[in-house]
Amino acid sequence: MPTTSLFQTTMIDPSLRLRRAIRTNDPLLVRRILKSHPHLLHNPDHTPTGDANSNLHLAALLGHLRICKLLVELGHEADGDEGSSSSSTPALNDAHQTALMLAASAGHTEVVHFLCERDPKSILRQDVRGRDAIMEASLNGHDTVVQILLTFAPGGAQAALSQADVDGNTALHFASSNGNLLVLRTLLAAGADAGRKNVWSWTADAYSATVQAEVYFKTLLQGQQRRVEGSPGKKAVRMVERDED
């Protein structure tokens, strides 16, 4: 009769090993696994809490820059039809989020800078809630990330800041709601519209998280208004009636 061993070697699925290698920030192991299993380049996580995040989503969320660079080098973001960087399309998870959105939300400046340099168009992409990377960074108070995103935003910072989510909230609304004072200053300096209302007819200052944030917000607006009024091209001209002879 055939005998069966009481101890059988359990092989770990390559997709799981790959995600573990990404989590432990081991680019050499990631490269080795992908060399043996090139079909796992994207490897969406379909576990209940995985949100179908790809390898790049996971690496960006964790801030592992070397792995992000490796995955992009291997063609993670390349269009399958063209295979060129000019026609690249970023991978999306179940919520239609890009890797850039996850990196911006977590405040990983180096990863954000790398992804922005490579594909600035992805800065303006919006997920199923209408949120973009700038909104995510503003919500979580990552001022340096916000500045990087605004620097690379196609069409300029002011155009990027005009975007709103499905409820009409802008990046300024998100920064205000969490009391992120540095981000508020950056957004207003970049041209964010403080008078913009969401679908509930609320402006960003109405969502101030604290009294301190509200006072700071209004102080910034007052200072901005004074600079506009005092600029050479915006000086008010006082009309003086001429005396009749």
Side-chain angles (χ1 to χ4, degrees):
M1 294 179 62
T3 60
T4 56
S5 174
L6 295 177
F7 303 98
Q8 294 182 342
T9 303
T10 303
M11 297 296 292
I12 301 175
D13 186 88
S15 64
L16 181 57
R17 282 195 292 123
L18 180 54
R19 280 194 285 273
R20 286 182 178 179
I22 294 172
R23 289 186 180 278
T24 56
N25 198 16
D26 190 339
L28 293 178
L29 181 55
V30 170
R31 184 184 288 274
R32 250 191 343 261
I33 295 173
L34 287 176
K35 185 176 182 180
S36 301
H37 307 278
H39 64 284
L40 293 178
L41 180 58
H42 290 90
N43 191 29
D45 185 355
H46 293 298
T47 61
T49 58
D51 297 326
N53 284 329
S54 70
N55 291 328
L56 187 60
H57 281 94
L58 180 58
L61 177 62
L62 298 173
H64 296 165
L65 178 62
R66 290 186 301 164
I67 294 180
C68 288
K69 288 183 174 181
L70 171 62
L71 293 170
V72 170
E73 172 196 328
L74 294 176
H76 190 288
E77 299 293 83
D79 190 298
D81 297 327
E82 301 288 339
S84 64
S85 59
S86 61
S87 62
S88 62
T89 302
L92 305 176
N93 64 11
D94 281 343
H96 288 197
Q97 294 172 309
T98 62
L100 176 61
M101 291 179 192
L102 299 189
S105 178
H108 298 307
T109 55
E110 290 184 332
V111 174
V112 168
H113 189 272
F114 167 68
L115 294 174
C116 285
E117 276 191 319
R118 191 199 160 277
D119 183 18
K121 296 190 299 297
S122 65
I123 296 171
L124 302 180
R125 271 191 172 268
Q126 294 172 279
D127 63 15
V128 292
R129 300 167 297 178
R131 297 184 185 182
D132 58 28
I134 298 173
M135 295 177 199
E136 293 290 350
S138 299
L139 175 65
N140 292 286
H142 303 306
D143 185 56
T144 303
V145 170
V146 170
Q147 293 181 42
I148 293 171
L149 292 167
L150 292 176
T151 299
F152 285 94
Q158 195 164 2
L161 293 175
S162 67
Q163 293 201 147
D165 71 358
V166 294
D167 292 319
N169 294 310
T170 64
L172 200 61
H173 284 87
F174 288 111
S176 178
S177 66
N178 271 18
N180 298 325
L181 306 185
L182 289 177
V183 178
L184 281 175
R185 184 178 65 183
T186 296
L187 295 176
L188 288 171
D193 182 4
R196 177 85 171 266
K197 296 180 179 180
N198 62 14
V199 295
W200 314 110
S201 296
W202 293 96
T203 55
D205 66 305
Y207 285 97
S208 297
T210 63
V211 174
Q212 178 192 16
E214 183 178 7
V215 171
Y216 184 74
F217 198 147
K218 291 180 177 178
T219 301
L220 288 175
L221 290 177
Q222 291 168 359
Q224 190 180 54
Q225 184 62 33
R226 283 196 297 269
R227 285 193 296 274
V228 170
E229 292 174 351
S231 61
K234 297 289 184 178
K235 284 186 178 178
V237 178
R238 197 176 106 188
M239 303 299 294
V240 180
E241 292 183 6
R242 186 176 60 180
D243 294 332
E244 295 183 0
D245 293 334

